[in-house]
Amino acid sequence: LPIWQLRCSSKIAICFWEPVLTPSLLVSPVSSVRFPLNLLKKRIKPSPGVFWAVLTGWFVRLVVVALVYKGFLDPARDHWEFGYELGRVARSIVLGKGFSNPYWANTGPTALLTPVYPYLLAGIFAAFGVYTKAAALVFLAINTFFSAVTSVPIFLIARKTLDLRTAKVAAWAWAFFPYAINFSATTMWYHGFVALLLAVIFLAVL
């Protein structure tokens, strides 16, 4: 509460009460308690270990890609293994038929998939050819990169909520996490991208 003092003026012969500003009153309780802006000024220093965790994780995933990519080039069922519905929609986009035909028949426009990955794969098809070896390698390289770089938000989350040592362990654990490797390197789907997006959103909430 403010401190009040009685002040009198001899010129107008009147006295009145006025508040005294103390140092404690000059600090906003809202800014210091509810919105600790001083915490936002603390920057988390980047750790070289995170870079190597991302690089190593990506390398491991690319090694797996080199072992399995030929399975996606199988022409059976009109290259169905190459991205499944995602690949079919991407091919439809490249052929000028729009965001449509997720299956073997020409079923027309579809809302089966979200647009980001089909258009990403469509761009790769346009640059490297539809259902080609080069397109498969580029697409899987991007897919695995999204998975590997997820170590960065994981590191930042652990650093913010725990400590630096735990953050480094978490980043390296993700680099070699079997499910993260499997779903990004052996499937043409957006598991790795969704994991990255979820981690970034969680970090933003923190």
Side-chain angles (χ1 to χ4, degrees):
L1 294 177
I3 301 175
W4 294 81
Q5 69 177 4
L6 184 63
R7 183 176 180 182
C8 298
S9 175
S10 59
K11 295 181 180 180
I12 58 176
I14 190 173
C15 294
F16 54 90
W17 289 92
E18 68 174 4
V20 177
L21 294 179
T22 62
S24 61
L25 294 176
L26 297 177
V27 180
S28 170
V30 175
S31 62
S32 61
V33 178
R34 295 182 58 189
F35 300 96
L37 298 180
N38 58 322
L39 295 180
L40 298 180
K41 297 178 182 179
K42 295 181 179 179
R43 296 182 178 179
I44 299 176
K45 296 182 179 180
S47 173
V50 179
F51 170 78
W52 290 111
V54 172
L55 199 62
T56 304
W58 195 20
F59 175 76
V60 171
R61 286 157 175 76
L62 290 177
V63 170
V64 177
V65 167
L67 298 175
V68 303
Y69 80 91
K70 292 181 180 180
F72 298 111
L73 304 178
D74 186 0
R77 295 194 295 175
D78 198 10
H79 292 91
W80 174 248
E81 300 294 331
F82 201 120
Y84 307 98
E85 296 93 336
L86 193 154
R88 300 290 298 182
V89 172
R91 185 181 75 163
S92 179
I93 294 172
V94 173
L95 296 179
K97 298 180 181 179
F99 200 90
S100 58
N101 308 326
Y103 300 110
W104 299 278
N106 293 325
T107 55
T110 180
L112 182 67
L113 301 169
T114 52
V116 174
Y117 248 60
Y119 276 103
L120 173 63
L121 183 53
I124 294 173
F125 279 167
F128 298 97
V130 178
Y131 296 149
T132 62
K133 173 183 176 180
L137 291 175
V138 171
F139 181 72
L140 289 170
I142 294 174
N143 213 28
T144 51
F145 175 76
F146 287 147
S147 176
V149 82
T150 305
S151 289
V152 176
I154 289 176
F155 169 83
L156 295 176
I157 290 170
R159 178 68 180 88
K160 188 176 183 66
T161 58
L162 298 169
D163 54 65
L164 180 59
R165 181 177 179 275
T166 305
K168 291 180 179 179
V169 171
W172 281 99
W174 179 263
F176 292 100
F177 188 49
Y179 285 107
I181 296 172
N182 176 66
F183 284 119
S184 63
T186 66
T187 63
M188 283 193 172
W189 208 251
Y190 39 75
H191 304 99
F193 180 73
V194 171
L196 173 61
L197 185 61
L198 177 61
V200 170
I201 291 175
F202 190 82
L203 177 62
V205 171
L206 291 178

